[in-house]
Amino acid sequence: MPAPSPPDWTCTVSVRELCEFTAKQGDLDRRFTPAATALEGLMGQNTVAQRRGQDYQTEIALEGLCGPLRVRGRADGFDPRRQCLEEIKTIRGRPDEIPANRRLLHWAQLQTYGALFCRARGLAQIALVLVYFDADSQGETELRQMVGADELEAVLAHRCNAFLAWAQAEATHRAARNAALQALAFPLQHFRAGQRGLAEAVYRNAANGRCLLAQAPTGIGKTVGTLFPMLRAMPLHGVDKLAYLTCKGTGRLPALEALQQLRAGTTGRALRVLTMVSKEEGCAHPGQACHPDACALARGFYDRLPAARQEAVSIGWLDAATQRQVALRHGVCPYYLGQELVRWADVLVGDVNHLFDTSGLLWGLLQALDWRLAVLVDEAHNLVERARRMYSADLATGQIRAALVSAPAIAQGPVTALLAATEALVADSVSTAEPCTVLDAAPDAWVQALQTAAGALSDHFNRHPLSMGALRDFHFELQHLLRLVEALSDHSLLEVSASLDTPIAKDADDEGSASGDTTVQVRNVSPACFLRQRFQALHSVTLFSATLAPPAYAVQLLGLPENTAWLDVPPAFPAEHLCVQVADGISTRYTNRARSLQPLAAVLARQFDEHPGNYLAFFSSFDYLEKAASALAHARPDIPQWRQARRMNTGERATFLAQFQPAGRGIGFAVLGGVFAEGVDLPGTRLIGAFIATLGLPPVSVTQTHLQARLDKLCGPGHGYADLVPAMQRVVQAGGRVIRTPQDQGWLWLLDDRYRRPEVAALLPAAWRLPAAGR
């Protein structure tokens, strides 16, 4: 039971939060309903307001006490001529396609606004109008109720009473959490070299509510060095939640390990930590629709949610396994239980997509509930590319043909028309001489075909919510593409190709492959316009990595605030621990690769003979890797070697890494920018050196040329953002595998004469002391 609240205790709750806690009931029904974007929602409200006339009142601030609860929010509009209070919901489609429990939630919000409005205006009754505005047709559907003020007061009192006990318990938890964090001690005996400076900068950043780019080398303890100061800052600066976001799934584990250690140092373990998981990871019944007729865990979900929620917050440590255990004990969906618990956790650990993706849950809740959210982004050098993928999409004619095989009758015509429009678009845009081109704008006829096909599939899945499979996946991809096409501007390229020239890779080590498909692709170049508003809404954010230089790259392409601070933490080890060598006589340019194989093999063999041990050798492609490994095997079959293969599964990756035994001897061949080039920890004699036989520059292509031109237009020429900067970040990440602790010592070979160029050397760490040419 929560401790009794003091007599003057009050708690402020938003109308939305109050209603979502008390008015949701019945089944979980997550059938796809085409949703309007936040911008479309604002435009819809403005359109309705303009239709009402000049005396129409909008964004009416309302607030009132109900016992110790202070309820506040903004009603969408009041029409004095019709004497009605309106709640405007912008949708796509028909209102009767919205699940019943969601419509009940909309009414609950409007009734709460109605009670507060009657209080403020001294009204005995009010007409409540729920307006559904269709973003596509621009039509309105009105649902109307005439309700007395006394009835609305009774409904409000009932909702507040239902929320009061939880609010008191949450206030007690918040007080205990803040007291524990104020007394939190650093979990280690002492700070490592560079770690204190990092921690102090993160704390100052949180105190000032700013954005920080922190470049911090391996070995200083970045995870604890960022989490500890942020936790200490939370109570003093009114931070509601801390989100620790990772660009790769492997980043969650060290964060959770550090949080377990830090949480153990709080009185009563008064810190709720939640792992945010993907639907694929959290779903207990993959392949079944999130609908009561298909999944038992969706049936009565909201009726069983309160007990599951209560048990979960009492546990406090809510990793993926614990969420699943609690959910199944109460017969609810683990994934959606986790989504509900986001509201009540103190620290959230998950992927960056939860905040930055088009439909990111954290972004939606941040807007709706007005949190003071602080964010830490680990391995942030990956965020530009991750965000580009979030705001990119493609459509191949092969996908459309496959969809036609299973498309229902209602969608056959529109999908066939989309195929014809896409083929016509490609035929008009490319040729044998120019198989890939970039268009200035999407042709109206193709956009219309895309909209019609997406609408037809939406109608089908609204009427058949239990349908699953490849057609449903195609439908989601089509909706995503449509949103990006409608938002097309200088930030993205509209690329048309007769074959998939450079597909949006799902993994860094996936080179892609050519296919016979014609393809239309929205390829994001700069995600800044999509992310800028999100960064502005955060209380503070620290993005950290060992490779963030130059800071202007992240500031410009991610849309970070102009006053973003920069911190470059010195290495935690003496520079002489890493011996860096440049192979001046070797060129790994594409035209020189055949001639480079024998000299490369000779350098690898000589280094191995002089300093036997485990090494990693990085190459620009699998083809180059295979040829170089074969050349070494032919020249020196006595040197053990193992090779990265395309699309290795988890077990195969583990087997590759298991070859690096302490005091072992051999060379592992890998692709630069792939899974073994970053996030791999092989301390001590498990790895004593690395060879980087490439600059990591992208290959020449039509896409690369247009990417360069577009970035020049957005950021100015001569910045290297299209090629050299990301290439050098990959190089530095790969080189960072060698020295993992202050005690490590090792060798790094840069196997290309271009590393001598001033513009290249300027992007390498100062601690990489390149020897003079010829040495």
Side-chain angles (χ1 to χ4, degrees), residues 119-173:
R119 278 193 197 181
R121 305 288 176 102
L123 302 177
Q125 62 179 9
I126 186 72
L128 302 179
V129 178
L130 186 56
V131 180
Y132 286 109
F133 176 81
D134 187 348
D136 293 327
S137 70
Q138 302 287 294
E140 298 176 35
T141 300
E142 290 190 358
L143 305 177
R144 186 183 183 94
Q145 291 181 354
M146 179 65 71
V147 191
D150 291 342
E151 181 182 349
L152 291 172
E153 278 290 339
V155 172
L156 176 60
H158 176 75
R159 293 203 191 289
C160 289
N161 288 334
F163 185 71
L164 182 58
W166 182 267
Q168 290 173 323
E170 284 302 290
T172 301
H173 165 73

Side-chain angles (χ1 to χ4, degrees), residues 7-48:
D8 59 348
W9 175 81
T10 61
C11 173
T12 299
V13 60
S14 69
V15 169
R16 175 166 177 168
E17 187 177 8
L18 175 68
C19 294
E20 288 195 343
F21 189 90
T22 60
K24 284 185 175 180
Q25 56 185 274
D27 302 327
L28 178 68
D29 184 353
R30 301 299 296 183
R31 76 183 74 183
F32 178 80
T33 52
T37 65
L39 178 60
E40 287 172 333
L42 291 174
M43 293 174 63
Q45 290 184 15
N46 291 336
T47 300
V48 172

Side-chain angles (χ1 to χ4, degrees), residues 245 351-357 360 362-363 373 375 534 538:
L245 305 179
D351 189 84
V352 290
N353 76 302
H354 295 296
L355 177 62
F356 298 116
D357 193 68
L362 270 182
W363 173 237
L373 177 66
V375 173
R534 305 192 183 203
L538 300 174

Side-chain angles (χ1 to χ4, degrees), residues 480-548:
H480 180 53
L481 175 63
L482 178 59
R483 285 193 294 268
L484 295 178
V485 168
E486 291 174 342
L488 200 61
S489 187
D490 283 347
H491 51 68
S492 299
L493 302 174
L494 181 62
E495 182 180 294
V496 182
S497 58
S499 64
L500 201 54
D501 180 38
T502 49
I504 303 166
K506 304 303 181 186
D507 295 300
D509 62 351
D510 185 356
E511 291 186 302
S513 58
S515 74
D517 272 346
T518 55
T519 306
V520 181
Q521 182 176 90
V522 175
R523 186 186 296 274
N524 180 258
V525 172
S526 172
C529 68
F530 297 109
L531 305 188
R532 185 173 288 109
Q533 183 185 7
R534 305 192 183 203
F535 283 115
Q536 291 173 345
L538 300 174
H539 169 71
S540 72
V541 57
T542 295
L543 302 96
F544 60 99
S545 167
T547 50
L548 283 177

Side-chain angles (χ1 to χ4, degrees), residues 205 209-214 532 535-536 540-544 548 550-556 558-567:
N205 190 62
R210 291 181 59 185
C211 176
L212 170 67
L213 282 168
R532 185 173 288 109
F535 283 115
Q536 291 173 345
S540 72
V541 57
T542 295
L543 302 96
F544 60 99
L548 283 177
Y553 177 71
V555 171
Q556 289 186 275
L558 294 176
L560 301 180
E562 291 184 2
N563 66 346
T564 294
W566 167 251
L567 174 70

